[in-house]
């Protein structure tokens, strides 16, 4: 019996199409390496969770496991969620020797796959010099991962005939997709090809495509959208090369720009933080029977502190990087989560304090959800636009449960504004409630049958 196994862990998707694409990727890997047992796992949404996959390896009698993340860049999942599962498994399953691979990363194989997807989407209706490529990354709270998207964009530009290659992110950081399209237009592009830097189809790829097409239509640009990277042969080969590094004991990540190991401006409070995860990601599938990570009995039980405000270089709150992952909102939302009831108060249109509160709420809502604030015409309310009316109905009801008044009209959800509200209290509470509820709808809502 082969004592070695490869555990491939993908992100997971709540869209059937995304899950199926991941399964096809795994099947293609198995065809390339029929001699190597390959066990697939998912961090979120799909089965088996990583914890269960490692249990299956132990039960099958494997002794050495290469755990290879099917992630493009190293952010929270790579640095926290998966290591938390490995830490548990090394204690609960001592018969397993677990090696951990680095992410796929910036690599010529990734450029080859991007070239192929862009070429497949290109109808050549406009000369390449008048075409901009908008490379859309997932967006994270990790500056090193975000910077790799920018590095890849530069490599995609060099030696090719595109007029421009610009960068945008689907969430958590800027520029947004709409801002990226607008920049392409300002630079003189007549056409934009959106290249999603995602492996498989999902909520983020579809949302980014819709946002890009809407922004392009408003600016009079032609807009094409490439497919996600998927099971391109170069990416299959790259995945197996990363796994081979693990078996050979040679995986190496660049930790020089890791915010947990190096003090980076704006991320000072995260330097030296311990590895952590939750039961939605790395520790998904960890049942009471299995137990959790050991804790020193002398340590007090962990509390539920509010996430501190983070400030950008412009002196404003950087709402888009407040949380390591939006699932942390369940624990570190406040202060305090579900505090005093917040509702709308009438205000004069020329009230400077009211306008400042409304502007901060709008900034925070868009930064944390990617949804545009489209209506400020109702005194005491601002409205942000959801993807459809079903989402608006659900989100408005969920916000009310968070002790924040909410209304909906069609696809628009309205939340209150009060001139007396403070940044660290009421303003933060409203943004937290909106961010949390929109994240739950977009990422954790059970699939409807038609999806």
């Amino acid at each position: 019996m082969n004592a070695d196994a490869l555990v491939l862990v993908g992100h997971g998707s709540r869209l059937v199409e995304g899950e199926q694409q991941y399964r096809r990727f795994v099947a293609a890997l198995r065809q390339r390496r029929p001699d190597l047992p390959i066990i697939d796992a998912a961090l979120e949404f799909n089965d088996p969770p990583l914890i269960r996959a490692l249990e299956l390896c132990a039960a099958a009698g494997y002794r050495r496991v290469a755990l290879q993340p099917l992630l493009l860049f190293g952010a929270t999942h790579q640095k926290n969620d998966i290591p938390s599962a490995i830490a548990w498994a090394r204690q609960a399953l001592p018969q397993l020797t677990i090696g951990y691979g680095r992410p796929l990363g910036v690599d010529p194989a990734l450029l080859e796959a991007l070239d192929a997807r862009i070429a497949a989407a290109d109808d050549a209706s406009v000369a390449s010099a008048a075409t901009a490529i908008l490379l859309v990354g997932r967006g994270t709270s990790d500056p090193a991962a975000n910077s790799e998207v920018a590095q890849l964009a530069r490599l995609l530009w060099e030696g090719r005939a595109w007029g421009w290659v610009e960068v945008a992110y689907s969430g958590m950081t800027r520029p947004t997709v709409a801002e990226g399209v607008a920049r392409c237009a300002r630079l003189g592009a007549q056409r934009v090809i959106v290249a999603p830097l995602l492996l498989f189809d999902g909520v983020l790829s579809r949302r980014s495509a819709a946002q890009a097409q809407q922004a392009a239509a408003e600016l009079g640009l032609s807009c094409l959208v490439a497919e996600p990277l998927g099971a391109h042969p170069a990416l299959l080969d790259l995945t197996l090369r990363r796994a081979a590094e693990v078996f050979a004991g040679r995986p190496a990540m660049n930790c020089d720009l890791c915010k947990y190991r190096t003090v980076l401006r704006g991320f000072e409070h995260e330097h030296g933080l311990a590895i952590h995860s939750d039961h939605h990601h790395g520790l998904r599938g960890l049942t009471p029977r299995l137990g959790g990570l050991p804790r020193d009995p002398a340590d007090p039980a962990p509390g539920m502190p509010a996430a501190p405000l983070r400030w950008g270089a412009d002196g404003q709150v950087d709402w888009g990087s407040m949380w390591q992952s939006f699932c942390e909102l369940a624990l570190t939302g406040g202060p305090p989560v579900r505090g005093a009831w917040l509702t709308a108060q009438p205000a004069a249109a020329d009230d400077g304090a009211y306008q400042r509160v409304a502007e901060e709420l709008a900034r925070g809502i868009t930064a944390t959800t990617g949804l545009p604030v489209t209506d400020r015409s109702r005194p005491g309310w601002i409205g942000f636009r959801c993807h459809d009316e079903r989402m608006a109905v659900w989100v408005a009801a969920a916000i009310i449960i968070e002790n924040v008044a909410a209304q909906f009209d069609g696809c628009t959800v309205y939340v209150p504004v009060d001139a007396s509200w403070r940044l660290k209290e009421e303003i933060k509470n409203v943004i937290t409630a909106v961010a949390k509820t929109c994240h739950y709808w977009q990422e954790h809502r059970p699939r409807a049958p038609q999806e």
Side-chain angles (χ1 to χ4, degrees), residues 10 19 22 28 34 45 53 86 128 136-137 153 186 211 225 270 311 331 372 383 387 400 420 427 444:
E19 182 180 4
Y22 174 50
F45 310 123
I86 293 173
S128 295
V136 180
R186 288 196 300 271
Q211 291 172 344
V225 180
E270 296 184 53
W311 304 88
L331 295 178
H387 301 311
I400 291 172
S420 67
I427 294 175
H444 297 291

Side-chain angles (χ1 to χ4, degrees), residues 148-350:
E148 289 187 285
V149 180
Q151 180 187 3
L152 192 65
R154 186 68 208 186
L155 291 170
L156 188 63
W157 195 354
E158 298 282 355
R160 293 166 177 80
W162 311 117
W164 306 267
V165 176
E166 296 297 324
V167 170
Y169 300 91
S170 60
M172 296 290 285
T173 191
R174 295 177 63 190
T176 65
V177 173
E179 289 170 340
V181 172
R183 177 172 170 81
C184 293
R186 288 196 300 271
L187 290 170
Q190 298 175 28
R191 183 180 63 158
V192 175
I193 301 178
V194 177
L197 195 51
L198 297 166
L199 288 168
F200 309 116
D201 194 12
V203 171
L204 292 182
S205 62
R206 296 188 179 189
R207 181 198 308 161
S208 297
Q211 291 172 344
Q213 288 168 337
Q214 179 180 346
E218 292 172 353
L219 294 167
L221 295 181
S222 169
C223 181
L224 301 171
V225 180
E227 293 293 323
L229 298 170
H232 187 279
L235 292 184
L236 295 171
D237 292 341
L238 176 59
T239 302
L240 291 175
R241 281 196 282 117
R242 292 288 181 261
E245 292 173 356
V246 182
F247 284 123
R250 297 196 302 268
M253 285 184 62
N254 178 11
C255 296
D256 293 342
L257 290 176
C258 176
K259 63 181 179 179
Y260 302 120
R261 297 193 180 193
T262 301
V263 178
L264 299 178
R265 182 173 179 178
F267 296 85
E268 294 87 350
H269 65 286
E270 296 184 53
H271 179 247
L273 287 180
I275 291 172
H276 68 282
S277 187
D278 56 32
H279 285 72
H280 296 293
H281 297 91
L283 300 182
R284 189 166 65 96
L286 191 62
T287 66
R289 170 184 60 82
L290 296 172
L293 293 172
R295 181 173 57 85
D296 187 339
D299 290 343
M304 296 171 64
L309 291 178
R310 298 188 58 177
W311 304 88
D314 58 1
Q316 295 182 305
V317 176
D318 188 359
W319 296 107
S321 60
M322 282 277 293
W323 297 277
Q324 296 286 318
S325 70
F326 282 112
C327 290
E328 288 186 61
L329 288 166
L331 295 178
T332 57
V337 177
R338 299 183 182 178
W341 173 253
L342 299 178
T343 189
Q345 300 294 333
D350 59 352

